[in-house]
Amino acid sequence: MKKLHMAILCAGAASWASIAAAQGVPAQAAAVDDGGEIVVTAQKRAQSVQDVGISLTAIGADELRRNQMTDVNQLANQISNVVATTSSNLPAFTVRGIGLNEFASNFDSPVAVHIDEVYKSKPYMLSMPFYDIQRVEALKGPQGTLFGRNTTGGSVNYYTQEPQFTPSGGFNASIDNYGRVRGDGFLNQPLSDTVAARASYYVAQGWGGPYRNLLTGKDFGKPNQLAGRLQLKWAGEGTTARLMVYGFKDKSQLTPYKSPGLFNPDGSYCAAVFTGAIQKDRDACLKFGPFVPGADPRGLRETQSIRNMNADAPWKADNSAFGGYLRLEQEAGAFQLTSITAYDQFVRDQVDDGDNTPYIAVNQLLYSRIKQFSQELRATAKFDRLNVLIGGFFEHDSIDEANSANTIENPLPGLPPFAPRLAADFKQKVRSLAIFTNNEYALTDQLSLIVGLRYTNDRTKIDGAAYLGADDPSGRRHLVTPVIPVDALVAHRTDGTTSFRGGINWKASRDQLFYASISRGFRSGGYSVPFGGVITTFDPERLTAYEIGSKSRLLGRTLDLNLAAFFYDYKDIQTNVDDPLSPLVPITRNIGGSRTYGAEAELTWRPDPSWTVRLGGSYLDAKFRNTTAVITTYAGPVPLDGKRPVNTPKWTAQGMIQKSVPLNDDLDLIGSTDFKYTAKRYLEATNQLFDRAPAYWVQNARLAVASKSGGWEIAAWGKNIFNKDYLTYINNISFFRIEIYGEPVSYGLSASIKF
């Protein structure tokens, strides 16, 4: 495989070098123009966001900085029909109800994430902070003819600030009421007329946090992160090269779980479970029933406040990552050739207390190490009325994973005392090859057609075992000695298919675009390896999306109004569920199909440079169809047909209002507030009362004094200012329950300087 990597790398370099004498200027990254309009590269070429026949939201650098959008959750709050979840520090987007609801780490998300067009295959790679970002583009619906792998639901694309040929620098710093301090900055320096360098960093430290461990009497939730990025850019005669390397270290205390009890004193299920009352009365039921005589009462019932916990093995990370890419761009006559060669390595080493008690009941050790290599080669050109893109993509990733859960003081599973750990240990390798094309032909000055194809061939190998093990974790991987084998598998599977996109754009006027499209997304099959359970395989899933929409500029081009309606036909959905094959820990399997109808509206109004108003809303009607799947729950077997998929609220809305007022000739007062409303939704596919997350409204606010030149800014801010408790994740396991909540109210001060 190393020889294959080298061959592909050499082929990419040779393709670039063979035309090195060609003339031209490489396409530059998009930015925000003087009128506040965001220019995007959603189709691999610079266009106004209002001229792209794709439903997308673009957010620029200033808004990312001011709203401290350094993680997926903050970003999702300002995109219609998008929610974010984080389970076991695995961040993931759900777009129009398509997403990942997993705590297993070896699956690719159906919503792809790219950083500078480099595909990040596994969700824990997104636990790194996002800093020194130029813009984010969130594209909805299948995007396989333009971006990477597994874009069934969409693609969220981050673009970092690249080196510039003028010297500059800056930093941002903030502190909150929990003693958490965060800072990031950059230094940009031209080294010659053709070479520029940029160094960026991010630091997060703290001496407290928003949670309190009643067992130790100490505050919890302090960050401990350090990240850095170094870039070099060479701009020659028609040639551009960009080299980036990065590093990351994380020893943070992570978001704790709530784990309401399930049992009556006699060991039967508690009535509050079936009514869903345990979400409000978290201490209504016992965690262990009659099985722990003389137990510490702090561990028998869950605490009411989401800020309190009783964990003997608090949630903590010891993660690290490094990598980088080389991007080469070359103009060759009508063509621009692009080569992106990337390597990433991420080690995830975490501890968590699944049951949130003082007992060794569900104490988990989670280890994953991924090594990922990718190579993309593409050519773009414009011939009169035809825009052409053709390319090839290769990716190889290998995962070394070992997980276990210690249940030595939890007699509910009936495990023997000499084998108290539910464990899994496996190695997985994925090789993906693809060729793709996306083309737009202008039939007239107003009417154009889009045709795109992508053929993907993915090969997945697994070599692993699931077993009951001894309580003797050792080494960096925390391996435990197998005692009772449950299952083992050495196998491989190959999945290949052609996905497509067809569309029509009608530019009725300079300020009015109508579009319609049909596209198909594909997500390859894989293997589910549960702790101490049966290893299973699942098949690919496919989604066919039909969409119509319009983008309008009204009221003298001060108002942008974007509308979209869509229908999704989803086949062989891969979903994490409880299953008779794995009675203790959920597995991922195919559960049939679903159909989704939806609509979205986004409005941005800038009546003058001092005002920005953005409002959005969405409707989603999704149901499982043509499925015979029956899933085991606390209430017994539940058929899925007719149920709503996970994370598909019927209604969502979001908005932002910002107003600046001049204080004098040099200073502005800038006030802003933003909000996100999410209707009730189910966080398990079975749609029982105990699976339901109530509707919630989260609002943030900010007041800043800034120089008119943009050189500095000081702000006071608050997040979740009404201190709402809102669920983001549920996992109803047979003998305990996990709940994860959004962060409680926080407030603080921030400062920014540019020079």
Side-chain angles (χ1 to χ4, degrees), residues 59-279:
I59 299 177
D62 281 345
E63 185 173 350
L64 292 169
R65 174 185 58 82
R66 285 175 172 162
N67 291 316
Q68 301 181 55
M69 295 183 184
T70 58
D71 60 42
V72 300
N73 298 287
Q74 292 296 325
L75 179 67
N77 283 344
Q78 283 305 300
I79 305 175
S80 65
N81 237 335
V82 174
V83 297
T85 58
T86 302
S87 60
S88 295
N89 205 26
L90 300 176
F93 292 101
T94 298
V95 178
R96 293 175 171 174
I98 311 300
L100 196 67
N101 188 46
E102 290 281 0
F103 61 82
S105 62
N106 61 313
F107 304 136
D108 290 19
S109 171
V111 178
V113 174
H114 300 82
I115 300 176
D116 291 337
E117 299 186 74
V118 175
Y119 175 63
K120 303 297 183 180
S121 63
K122 302 300 179 285
Y124 54 80
M125 301 171 81
L126 307 183
S127 62
M128 294 187 292
F130 297 103
Y131 59 98
D132 202 24
I133 301 294
Q134 185 196 56
R135 73 189 187 284
V136 179
E137 301 176 15
L139 286 66
K140 302 170 187 176
Q143 304 296 327
T145 62
L146 285 164
F147 291 97
R149 298 178 54 223
N150 292 312
T151 57
T152 313
S155 182
V156 180
N157 303 325
Y158 289 81
Y159 296 90
T160 64
Q161 298 280 7
E162 65 179 272
Q164 303 295 324
F165 288 92
T166 54
S168 60
F171 67 86
N172 310 298
S174 69
I175 184 171
D176 70 12
N177 56 307
Y178 301 116
R180 296 177 295 184
V181 181
R182 296 177 173 90
D184 67 90
F186 74 94
L187 180 64
N188 189 98
Q189 182 65 44
L191 304 180
S192 70
D193 292 341
T194 58
V195 179
R198 188 181 186 96
S200 312
Y201 69 89
Y202 176 91
V203 179
Q205 297 290 323
W207 57 86
Y211 309 103
R212 188 165 183 82
N213 191 346
L214 300 180
L215 189 63
T216 64
K218 295 181 179 180
D219 290 339
F220 186 83
K222 65 181 180 182
N224 185 356
Q225 293 183 323
L226 177 64
R229 184 189 306 137
L230 178 63
Q231 300 182 74
L232 291 173
K233 179 179 178 180
W234 173 65
E237 190 81 11
T239 306
T240 301
R242 183 179 176 187
L243 175 67
M244 188 274 282
V245 294
Y246 71 88
F248 170 66
K249 187 69 176 176
D250 186 3
K251 292 191 174 184
S252 300
Q253 295 173 343
L254 305 174
T255 303
Y257 306 157
K258 300 298 287 183
S259 184
L262 303 176
F263 302 103
N264 293 313
D266 63 1
S268 61
Y269 281 125
C270 177
V273 174
F274 303 111
T275 64
I278 55 173
Q279 288 186 13

Side-chain angles (χ1 to χ4, degrees), residues 62 75 202 260 278 280-281 312 388 412 471 493 573-574 632 639 670:
D62 281 345
L75 179 67
Y202 176 91
I278 55 173
K280 292 184 178 179
D281 299 324
D312 66 305
V388 176
L412 288 172
D471 185 21
R493 60 175 301 129
I573 303 171
Q574 301 167 8
T632 303
I670 305 172

